[in-house]
Amino acid sequence: MTTAFITLGLFDILDILLVAFLLYQIYMLIKGTVAINIFVGLSLFYLMWLLVRALNMELLSGILGQFMGVGVIALIVVFQPEIRRFFLLLGTKYNLSQKFTLNNWFALDERGIPDIEIRSVVSACEHMSKTKTGALIVIAKNMDLQNYADTGQIIKARVSKNLLETIFFKNSPLHDGAVIWSNSRILAARCILPVTDDTNIPGSLGLRHRAAIGMTQATDSHVITVSEETGNISYVMGGNIKVRITTNELRTFLEGDFSSFII
């Protein structure tokens, strides 16, 4: 009579923990999106294939096996946005490209967004909030947003309160869309942003807010929104939105989030 023993070493425990962590991160990425339904469907398909194989149903097992053979390619195609977000979050979190820049090697001076620009943007948002003028301002961080800028009208003008208010004035031809703020310039206006497919977003948040969330999910940028219906100011980063913030809170976010990178 043979007794089987399972040996569980340190690396086995580490392997299990790493797999569990990876599955958790995948779940967090697709939670609340239509991708979660696809993931459940694929999981059920895989379990059915295992059951068919266990029951030695050769014909059906062979047919399902052909689909499983291209499973990796199918996963890449189906979950392309989520995979892109995963690597984006990974690269943004550890940000190796910024850690090994010449400025860091030779200890060159770094500066954040100039205070005069922060005051201009906060003042413009305060005025647009009072007048209930809708606004969508994308703040570039480390990623190049030229592809998004190309969807609108290239401006490349210095940031100012008057310019922002003029762009988002309801009768302006540039008011419909987003402004991209990069390298101390209004790079472009009337830009088209990707809209999130997250189903957990409250219905009170409109298309402008969904575009802001989608942009921060697709890139490492931060986004300011001013609601046209309520005048509320919101701040979005990493797919998370803070609604109904004050202008003082907006200033704090800008000074805190953009004080440690070069623009």
Side-chain angles (χ1 to χ4, degrees):
M1 187 173 181
T2 304
T3 304
F5 293 94
I6 300 177
T7 59
L8 195 63
L10 176 62
F11 288 103
D12 297 313
I13 296 175
L14 181 62
D15 187 26
I16 294 173
L17 291 176
L18 288 175
V19 171
F21 175 76
L22 182 61
L23 291 176
Y24 173 75
Q25 292 297 323
I26 292 174
Y27 171 74
M28 293 302 295
L29 281 176
I30 64 177
K31 182 182 68 172
T33 68
V34 294
I36 189 67
N37 298 326
I38 300 175
F39 181 77
V40 171
L42 291 175
S43 299
L44 292 175
F45 184 85
Y46 179 69
L47 291 175
M48 183 176 66
W49 179 60
L50 293 178
L51 178 62
V52 167
R53 289 184 59 190
L55 296 176
N56 293 321
M57 301 172 67
E58 298 295 336
L59 180 59
L60 188 55
S61 177
I63 295 174
L64 296 180
Q66 295 299 318
F67 289 99
M68 296 305 300
V70 294
V72 176
I73 299 176
L75 286 176
I76 293 176
V77 173
V78 172
F79 292 104
Q80 184 270 335
E82 285 71 26
I83 293 174
R84 186 177 186 275
R85 283 176 53 197
F86 174 77
F87 285 111
L88 172 64
L89 291 175
L90 188 65
T92 303
K93 183 175 182 179
Y94 296 101
N95 206 6
L96 295 179
S97 63
Q98 294 296 314
K99 292 180 180 179
F100 293 99
T101 59
L102 291 177
N103 288 342
N104 286 338
W105 279 102
F106 296 103
L108 297 178
D109 180 52
E110 292 188 359
R111 61 185 178 88
I113 295 178
D115 186 63
I116 188 173
E117 294 183 17
I118 292 179
R119 288 200 306 268
S120 297
V121 172
V122 172
S123 179
C125 289
E126 181 178 21
H127 182 264
M128 290 187 291
S129 175
K130 291 178 180 178
T131 58
K132 292 186 178 181
T133 301
L136 189 57
I137 304 172
V138 178
I139 313 169
K141 202 163 187 182
N142 298 312
M143 290 184 64
D144 183 11
L145 304 183
Q146 188 62 48
N147 288 339
Y148 297 98
D150 289 338
T151 64
Q153 178 66 48
I154 301 297
I155 296 178
K156 293 185 179 180
R158 295 292 280 181
V159 178
S160 71
K161 174 179 180 293
N162 291 336
L163 177 59
L164 286 172
E165 292 178 3
T166 300
I167 289 174
F168 289 114
F169 179 63
K170 63 180 180 180
N171 291 329
S172 167
L174 299 178
H175 83 282
D176 190 15
V179 155
I180 295 181
W181 173 15
S182 176
N183 296 325
S184 294
R185 293 286 191 277
I186 297 297
L187 178 58
R190 204 179 62 187
C191 300
I192 300 173
L193 305 184
V195 179
T196 181
D197 59 355
D198 193 336
T199 57
N200 290 327
I201 297 176
S204 58
L205 300 180
L207 185 61
R208 182 177 287 108
H209 295 86
R210 296 186 68 89
I213 294 173
M215 185 64 173
T216 61
Q217 289 175 337
T219 69
D220 66 346
S221 62
H222 296 186
V223 181
I224 304 169
T225 69
V226 180
S227 173
E228 188 174 357
E229 290 76 21
T230 64
N232 292 331
I233 302 173
S234 301
Y235 191 79
V236 190
M237 57 177 290
N240 300 312
I241 183 169
K242 297 181 184 295
V243 297
R244 293 187 296 275
I245 64 173
T246 65
T247 52
N248 288 333
E249 289 174 323
L250 176 59
R251 170 184 283 276
T252 300
F253 289 144
L254 292 176
E255 291 176 342
D257 295 338
F258 293 89
S259 61
S260 61
F261 74 96
I262 301 174
I263 61 172

